[in-house]
């Protein structure tokens, strides 16, 4: 069993680290100025791709920033400066924008590719903690991101500085999303494998029940329709006239009719009790829209019909659980 004092000391170190890194992010806010605005404008005007580059820990952060940009509407990829010397620089072309990360702004491997980028007329956004660095001097836009000290107890390992870089990268991505009016539907286009993507891209046609649809005539005695409601396993039956949807009866309708009609329950027909305005949707309606419709109207199923109100299928809440 570990000594409680030792455990507390370890936890104190962790807390101090988290506080230092949180403070580093907060210190980033007052540093935001017109250079951030210019960086966003430069990326919005970009006719090519955004290439994020950096060495070491900044490179790892750069890869994440590139991934975030790419998934939120800004075509982007990460380029390792070391690989750039061996042919990968060919992936960068006129019209691209390079975002270069370096806490010192003096990283040799990064600086060595700048002349080649200039020859290609590629715009450079530099992000560093040194306003007098070579990166700051040669970048078209330089965002100063100075961190007072690292969370590392030796003030050596990139910790607070990389956290600030990561947060600034997210800030760039979010600002670009706002400027592009990027919406959830757009996000789903880049994330078709996620649950959000499935809800926004899947239609009623993809999930609706089409076999053994529970239909009854409006003249059927309600007492017989109850059996159909039970057998349907959907908790409803659809009343049709000339193969067109005329109404719907749910298990809730049946219970309310029994309470209201009592002994007369066995003397009425489906047409006397049904809801004549069931919620009908086209087969190309997105599941996300159907979920909103069901939540808004407090119902558990919708009918899928064509323009002539012929019943094509039924989508219930269980079908929408993607």
């Amino acid at each position: 069993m570990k000594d409680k004092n030792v455990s507390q000391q370890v936890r104190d170190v962790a807390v101090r680290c988290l506080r230092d890194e949180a403070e580093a992010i907060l210190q980033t806010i007052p540093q935001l100025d017109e250079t951030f605005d210019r960086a966003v404008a430069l990326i919005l005007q970009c006719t090519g791709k955004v290439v994020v580059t950096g060495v070491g820990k900044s490179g790892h952060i750069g890869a994440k920033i590139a991934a975030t940009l790419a998934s939120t509407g800004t075509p982007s990829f990460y380029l390792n400066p070391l690989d750039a010397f061996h042919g990968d620089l060919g992936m960068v072309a006129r019209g691209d924008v390079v975002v270069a990360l370096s806490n010192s702004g003096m990283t040799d491997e990064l600086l060595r590719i700048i002349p080649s980028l200039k020859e290609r007329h590629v715009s450079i956004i530099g992000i560093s903690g040194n306003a007098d660095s070579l990166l700051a001097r040669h970048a078209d836009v330089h965002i100063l991101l100075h961190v007072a000290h690292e969370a590392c107890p030796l003030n050596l390992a990139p910790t607070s500085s990389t956290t600030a870089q990561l947060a600034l990268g997210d800030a760039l991505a979010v600002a670009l999303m706002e400027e592009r009016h990027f919406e959830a539907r757009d996000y789903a286009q880049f994330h078709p494998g996620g649950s959000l993507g499935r809800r926004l891209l899947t239609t009623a046609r993809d999930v609706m029940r089409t076999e053994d649809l529970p239909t009854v005539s409006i003249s059927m005695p309600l007492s017989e329709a109850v059996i159909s409601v039970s057998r349907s396993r959907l908790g409803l039956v659809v009343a049709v006239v000339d193969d067109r949807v005329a109404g719907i009866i749910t298990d809730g309708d049946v219970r309310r009719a029994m309470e209201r009609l009592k002994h007369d329950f066995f003397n009425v027909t489906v047409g006397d009790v049904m809801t004549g305005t069931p919620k009908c949707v086209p087969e190309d309606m997105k599941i996300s829209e159907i979920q909103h419709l069901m939540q808004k109207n407090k119902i558990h199923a919708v009918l899928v019909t064509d323009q002539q109100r012929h019943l094509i299928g039924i989508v219930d809440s269980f079908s929408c659980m993607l």
Side-chain angles (χ1 to χ4, degrees):
M1 179 175 171
K2 290 185 178 180
D3 188 290
K4 289 185 178 180
N5 291 332
V6 173
S7 297
Q8 187 59 50
Q9 290 174 5
V10 169
R11 197 171 305 155
D12 289 343
V13 170
V15 170
R16 184 169 64 249
C17 175
L18 292 173
R19 284 178 174 166
D20 286 345
E21 297 200 4
E23 183 61 30
I25 294 177
L26 293 176
Q27 290 173 358
T28 300
I29 297 174
Q31 297 183 67
L32 291 180
D33 55 20
E34 71 280 354
T35 59
F36 182 84
D37 305 338
R38 289 167 54 200
V40 171
L42 196 58
I43 295 175
L44 287 172
Q45 296 164 9
C46 175
T47 58
K49 304 170 294 298
V50 173
V51 184
V52 187
T53 187
V55 178
K57 305 300 187 297
S58 292
H60 295 305
I61 297 300
K64 191 276 178 185
I65 292 174
T68 299
L69 289 171
S71 68
T72 53
T74 300
S76 179
F77 67 89
Y78 169 72
L79 174 65
N80 187 322
L82 302 177
D83 294 332
F85 298 133
H86 301 282
D88 284 5
L89 198 58
M91 295 188 291
V92 185
R94 182 191 293 266
D96 291 345
V97 171
V98 167
V99 177
L101 301 169
S102 170
N103 186 40
S104 68
M106 301 295 287
T107 307
D108 182 63
E109 298 90 340
L110 185 64
L111 296 175
R112 286 166 60 189
I113 68 172
I114 288 182
S116 296
L117 297 175
K118 292 290 189 180
E119 289 178 4
R120 288 172 167 77
H121 301 285
V122 173
S123 298
I124 301 173
I125 298 172
I127 301 176
S128 82
N130 185 354
D132 297 321
S133 65
L134 287 176
L135 177 60
R137 295 178 197 172
H138 293 284
D140 296 280
V141 177
H142 178 257
I143 300 176
L144 181 63
L145 185 62
H146 177 70
V147 172
H149 63 87
E150 300 287 359
C152 165
L154 301 177
N155 196 31
L156 294 175
T159 44
S160 297
S161 58
T162 48
T163 298
Q165 286 178 343
L166 184 64
L168 183 63
D170 287 341
L172 273 173
V174 170
L176 289 164
M177 290 174 68
E178 288 287 338
E179 290 298 308
R180 297 185 196 280
H181 304 291
F182 195 83
E183 299 178 348
R185 183 181 302 276
D186 303 308
Y187 186 84
Q189 296 291 335
F190 298 105
H191 299 78
S195 60
L196 172 63
R198 290 195 295 272
R199 290 199 307 274
L200 292 175
L201 298 178
T202 303
T203 65
R205 182 188 301 110
D206 300 317
V207 300
M208 65 184 181
R209 171 174 168 175
T210 58
E211 298 181 356
D212 300 321
L213 297 178
T215 59
V216 297
S217 68
I218 62 173
S219 60
M220 174 182 284
L222 185 57
S223 57
E224 294 181 22
V226 171
I227 299 175
S228 298
V229 171
S230 176
R231 289 177 177 173
S232 72
R233 296 185 179 180
L234 291 173
L236 60 85
V237 291
V238 182
V240 296
V241 175
D242 297 330
D243 293 327
R244 290 182 173 84
V245 172
I248 188 173
I249 290 183
T250 66
D251 49 8
D253 294 327
V254 172
R255 289 194 301 271
R256 286 186 289 273
M258 292 180 69
E259 293 175 0
R260 184 179 74 255
L261 299 173
K262 295 183 173 53
H263 297 297
D264 291 332
F265 177 82
F266 296 96
N267 300 321
V268 298
T269 65
V270 167
D272 296 323
V273 177
M274 69 181 187
T275 299
T277 55
K279 298 301 178 183
C280 299
V281 303
E283 59 181 340
D284 60 352
M285 178 176 278
K286 301 294 189 296
I287 289 300
S288 58
E289 298 172 320
I290 292 175
Q291 286 179 312
H292 177 72
L293 180 66
M294 289 194 292
Q295 291 170 0
K296 179 181 178 181
N297 292 278
K298 298 181 180 179
I299 56 178
H300 72 277
V302 295
L303 309 182
V304 184
T305 60
D306 60 18
Q307 294 182 346
Q308 289 74 43
R309 288 181 69 84
H310 294 122
L311 183 65
I312 301 174
I314 298 174
V315 175
D316 64 353
S317 55
F318 182 78
S319 304
C320 296
M321 295 174 62
L322 301 174

